Structure formats: structure tokens, C-alpha cells
Amino acid sequence: MSRAGGVIRSLLEPSLLRRMLLVQVLLVTLLWTAILGFVIAEGRELPELFHNQALYEVAFAATESPADSPQGQEHVLQMMGNALAASFSDGDTGTSFSPIMYVRSDGRLLYKSNPDAPLLRNRQFGVVETLEADGKAWRALSRVSPGGTVVTMALPDTWGLMMTIGTRGYYLGPLVISLPFLLLPAWLSIHLALRPWRKLSHEIEVRAPSNLQPLDFQPRHRELRPLVSSINTLLQRVSEVTQRERTFIADAAHEMRTPLAALRINAEALRQPRDEAARLELLGNLLRSSDRATRMVGQLLKLMRSDAACAAPQAMALEQLVQDRMAVLDALAAQRGVELELLFNEAAPVRICGERESLTSLIDNLVENAIKYSPPQGLVMVQVSKRGEWAQLQVLDSGPGIAAEYREQVFQRFYRIADQPQSGSGLGLSIARSAVERHGGSISLHDGPSGGLRVTVYMPLC
């Protein structure tokens, strides 16, 4: 039972091979139907039988020529009927698919090719007419000779013809006979055509999970090239992401090692007998190392969040968000003796669409950096404005600034300029750039108008 169920499931499972076979069968059926329909339409419009003037002339001659006996004359007409059936149908004069010939002279019916056919008589000579007899429609054409002999040729009408084709197997017969002979070549051709796909599938299947190199398989077939190219592009992206993550982990471990080592050194020093002043100094070092480690972990979390997929964007006023964050950072600025100033136009609110948490990280990192590097009594000015279809955020400080040759490198993770007086993780600007790029914007560094650093951010408006 389980084996039978497995076979049934296998048959019901979607298959490209079965689908392509079905498409080929349908195409053959549609092609045969179209050809048959074309033949029927052509026959409906201009039947060849009605335009064969020679047939009528022969019938006239056989009827009107002297004959030794009426039986001989009828025998000649019977031979004509057989020839007519053989030329324009399946050769059987008794079928409803065969044309019928009537011969009349002086109002008498001399000959009818199918004894079971109904009597048909045109109302006009030389005109194809549709006649009804015994519930069937016929198309008939009668011609009259100078001697008064009337010869009528009749064919079943289109609908009757189509019914005959369906019931007698003229439509299904060729399909039923030919399709079994077509399935095997079609299956073989499709099986051979899919061989490159199987090679590609095999290479992917046996590949090790750690192998992110491009595929060795180089298809010569045009249909496979986009797929292989897309897979190689995906592998390259995954490889780059994996390499960035490995580098990030290695750099994070290296950066975390310094404050952790300082914590251990100061903790071990506290175990030794010390006077109160030395103990307080070591405790202060412990706290500073702990703060540095805590800040490092917080920055790492922010960076990971900024690299993660964004939540659903929401519309917000940029100046309001900046104002809220500067209120939070005011205590830090006051502690360092730095003044904060925010400039924006209340009459022209700057609305952007984005992830609030990511934008909060952006503002916090830029303003915190500006506060940290500004001297006591310094000024950090933040400006929010519109520039065409872009929102502009500028943060200006009164610190030492950044030399032009370092302005691109400082966006790298954990990068710090040598001989910096301020401690830090080297992640602030990296977090800021990641947040800006996720919102489709740009960030750049410039000299301030009166010294210091000017950070300019552009993001699209809602």
C-alpha cells in the first residue's frame, strides 16, 4: 500500500518533464484542430466539387449520349459516382460524408449516387444553395445542359460535416493513432534537452556548504546562462557578506580585548595591598574600562541593527526627531561644557520616511562625536533644511576636524586616526553611514566654515 501511495504521490508531484510533454501533446492537438478547421472553412467558402465543371460535362455526356441500354447508361453513372466518392471523400458512397450526385432529365430522376440520400432540388441553376432535408443541412449546386439534363452535386453543410468528422473518427482517429508514437520521441528529446540542467543540479548538490566560489559549470546554452549567472552573483554576495561578518567578528574581538585586559589588570592590582589613594585610582580605571567595554558592546549592537533589515518605514518630522535627541544629549554636552544649538525653519517642516530607531542611531552618533571632539566652551550646531527633493542634516563642531586624506577611511569599522586624544570604538561613523544608506541617502565630511568638522547628510523627502 505504501509503495502504491508513493507512486501516486510521484505522479501527482509537479514535473517539468510531464509538463513539457503535455504542452507538446496540446500543441499537436491544436495544430491538427487548426488544420482541420482551415480545411473545413475553405471547403465551406469555395468547395472544389462545385467548381469542377468537367464533372458536370461528363455527367451530361453520359446521360445524353446514345446508349445500347438504360442499364449501360446507369452503369456509367454509377462508375462516375464511385469516382466522385473516391476523389472527394473516403471512397464509400453510402456515408454521410460523401458527396451525392443526382441526374434528372425531363423531370425524372435518372440516377442518385446514394440510394439512401434524401431528394434535393435547387431552386436556381448555377447557384450554391443550402437545403434542408430529413433534419440535415446540405449545400447543393445544380447545372442544366442544353439538352435539358440537370446534374446536382450536394455536400453536407459545415455543422453536419463537423459532426460526421467527430462521430466517424476523422478528428480523433489520427490523434489517437499518432500520439503514442509521438510521446516516446518527445520524452527522449526533452530528457536529452534537460541534461545540462541535471549537470548543474549535480554540481550544486555535491558542493560543500563552505564553498562559495562561482560554479565551475559554464553552460553553452542560452537558456541556462541567466540562471548560472544569477547563482554566481548570489554566491558572490553571500561570500562578501560572510567575509564582512568574519572580519567584523575578528575586529570586534580585537577591540573588546583591550578594555577586558585593562579590567583584568586593574582587578589583579586591587588584590595587592594598596593605600586608599591607589585603590581609588585603580577603581577609577576599572570603571573607565567597564564604561569602554559597555560602550563598545552598545556600538556593536547598534551596528548590527543598522545592518539588519529595516522595519516598516514611517513618516516623521526630521527636525522634531533631532530636537528630541539633542534634549537627551544635553546632559552630556553640559558635562563637557559644550553648547548645543539647533536651527530649522518652523514654517517649512522637513518630513522623511524611515525607521525611527535607525535614524535615532544616526543622530546620536553624529551629535555625540561632535560633543566629544569639541573643546570646553565649544559649540555644536545642528541644521535641518530642505534642498529640493532632499532633506539635509548638518552637524558642525568646533573640534580639530579630520584631514581630507582620512575622510573616507573613518567610515570603516573600527578605524581610528592615530594619536587621537579621545577614546572611542571607531564605529560611530560606520553606524551613521549604514543608517543613511539604508534610507537611500548619502553622508560626507567637510571642513567647517570656521574650523572643526561639518558632517552633511542627505535623505529623500516623503
Side-chain angles (χ1 to χ4, degrees):
M1 181 64 70
S2 60
R3 185 175 181 180
V7 172
I8 294 175
R9 284 193 299 271
S10 176
L11 293 175
L12 294 178
E13 184 180 5
S15 167
L16 282 177
L17 179 61
R18 193 184 308 121
R19 184 175 182 177
M20 295 173 73
L21 277 175
L22 180 61
V23 169
Q24 289 200 13
V25 170
L26 290 176
L27 286 176
V28 170
T29 304
L30 290 175
L31 181 62
W32 174 242
T33 304
I35 293 174
L36 195 60
F38 177 76
V39 171
I40 293 174
E42 285 293 310
R44 169 75 177 171
E45 291 296 326
L46 210 61
E48 182 182 353
L49 175 65
F50 295 155
H51 286 270
N52 198 329
Q53 181 67 28
L55 285 176
Y56 287 89
E57 296 294 339
V58 172
F60 292 151
T63 304
E64 297 176 355
S65 62
D68 296 337
S69 66
Q71 291 80 7
Q73 189 179 56
E74 184 176 354
H75 178 67
V76 173
L77 292 173
Q78 182 65 45
M79 291 178 63
M80 280 190 60
N82 294 336
L84 184 66
S87 300
F88 293 94
S89 68
D90 57 1
D92 185 359
T93 58
T95 65
S96 59
F97 184 61
S98 301
I100 302 173
M101 181 174 70
Y102 304 86
V103 180
R104 294 182 178 87
S105 180
D106 298 329
R108 294 182 300 107
L109 179 67
L110 300 179
Y111 174 74
K112 183 171 61 168
S113 61
N114 183 357
D116 298 327
L119 291 175
L120 301 174
R121 187 186 297 272
N122 285 89
R123 290 180 292 274
Q124 301 181 54
F125 295 123
V127 179
V128 179
E129 297 177 325
T130 299
L131 307 176
E132 296 284 341
D134 296 339
K136 296 182 180 179
W138 299 81
R139 303 188 72 210
L141 174 66
S142 296
R143 297 184 188 274
V144 61
S145 69
T149 300
V150 178
V151 176
T152 301
M153 301 289 183
L155 283 172
D157 199 13
T158 302
W159 291 108
L161 179 62
M162 292 180 66
M163 292 296 294
T164 301
I165 287 173
T167 56
R168 297 302 178 89
Y170 296 109
Y171 175 67
L172 293 179
L175 290 176
V176 172
I177 294 173
S178 62
L179 283 180
F181 296 97
L182 292 176
L183 286 178
L184 181 59
W187 176 87
L188 184 60
S189 63
I190 295 172
H191 185 76
L192 293 175
L194 291 177
R195 186 164 56 181
W197 292 82
R198 291 193 294 274
K199 289 182 179 179
L200 175 62
S201 176
H202 177 71
E203 179 178 349
I204 296 175
E205 182 180 2
V206 300
R207 176 173 283 243
S210 59
N211 185 2
L212 298 177
Q213 296 298 316
L215 296 174
D216 296 327
F217 181 71
Q218 297 296 329
R220 295 180 291 108
H221 309 84
R222 182 176 56 189
E223 295 78 6
L224 268 180
R225 288 175 194 158
L227 176 62
V228 174
S229 177
S230 298
I231 293 175
N232 287 336
T233 301
L234 176 61
L235 288 173
Q236 181 180 0
R237 291 176 181 172
V238 173
S239 177
E240 292 173 354
V241 170
T242 303
Q243 184 60 40
R244 283 200 301 268
E245 288 180 350
R246 290 173 179 170
T247 303
F248 175 76
I249 292 172
D251 291 342
H254 176 75
E255 292 296 325
M256 286 295 295
R257 187 169 54 186
T258 300
L260 292 177
L263 280 171
R264 182 178 180 83
I265 292 172
N266 286 284
E268 289 180 349
L270 279 173
R271 297 172 61 183
Q272 305 297 326
R274 301 279 180 179
D275 57 26
E276 188 65 19
R279 289 183 68 257
L280 290 177
E281 181 180 358
L282 290 173
L283 284 174
N285 292 337
L286 274 174
L287 291 174
R288 284 190 292 271
S289 298
S290 176
D291 290 341
R292 183 179 178 188
T294 302
R295 178 176 174 80
M296 177 72 70
V297 172
Q299 293 285 71
L300 290 174
L301 288 174
K302 287 181 180 180
L303 185 59
M304 293 303 294
R305 288 170 183 163
S306 66
D307 286 343
C310 287
Q314 56 183 7
M316 66 189 79
L318 180 58
E319 65 273 12
Q320 184 62 51
L321 179 61
V322 173
Q323 190 172 20
D324 293 343
R325 299 316 303 168
M326 290 182 69
V328 173
L329 297 171
D330 186 63
L332 175 63
Q335 182 183 356
R336 292 180 174 266
V338 176
E339 181 183 355
L340 298 180
E341 183 178 353
L342 173 61
L343 301 177
F344 63 93
N345 185 358
E346 295 184 1
V350 180
R351 297 190 63 79
I352 61 172
C353 295
E355 183 189 11
R356 188 178 187 87
E357 184 177 355
S358 179
L359 293 172
T360 298
S361 295
L362 165 67
I363 298 168
D364 286 354
N365 277 284
L366 294 182
V367 177
E368 282 182 12
N369 276 350
I371 294 172
K372 183 169 64 174
Y373 288 100
S374 294
Q377 311 305 317
L379 173 65
V380 172
M381 184 167 59
V382 182
Q383 296 178 344
V384 178
S385 60
K386 288 182 179 179
R387 290 293 183 269
E389 297 181 353
W390 297 87
Q392 183 190 66
L393 170 66
Q394 286 192 325
V395 180
L396 299 92
D397 62 41
S398 49
I402 298 177
E405 59 268 25
Y406 298 120
R407 288 176 184 170
E408 186 60 33
Q409 300 178 52
V410 293
F411 287 108
Q412 299 175 10
R413 295 175 180 179
F414 302 107
Y415 182 84
R416 285 181 53 79
I417 301 175
D419 301 326
Q420 279 283 353
Q422 299 291 340
S423 63
S425 62
L427 291 174
L429 289 176
S430 179
I431 295 172
R433 169 175 275 186
S434 178
V436 170
E437 290 179 348
R438 295 198 73 86
H439 288 81
S442 63
I443 182 171
S444 57
L445 307 179
H446 310 274
D447 291 327
S450 56
L453 182 70
R454 174 168 57 93
V455 183
T456 303
V457 174
Y458 286 100
M459 290 182 290
L461 296 168
C462 280

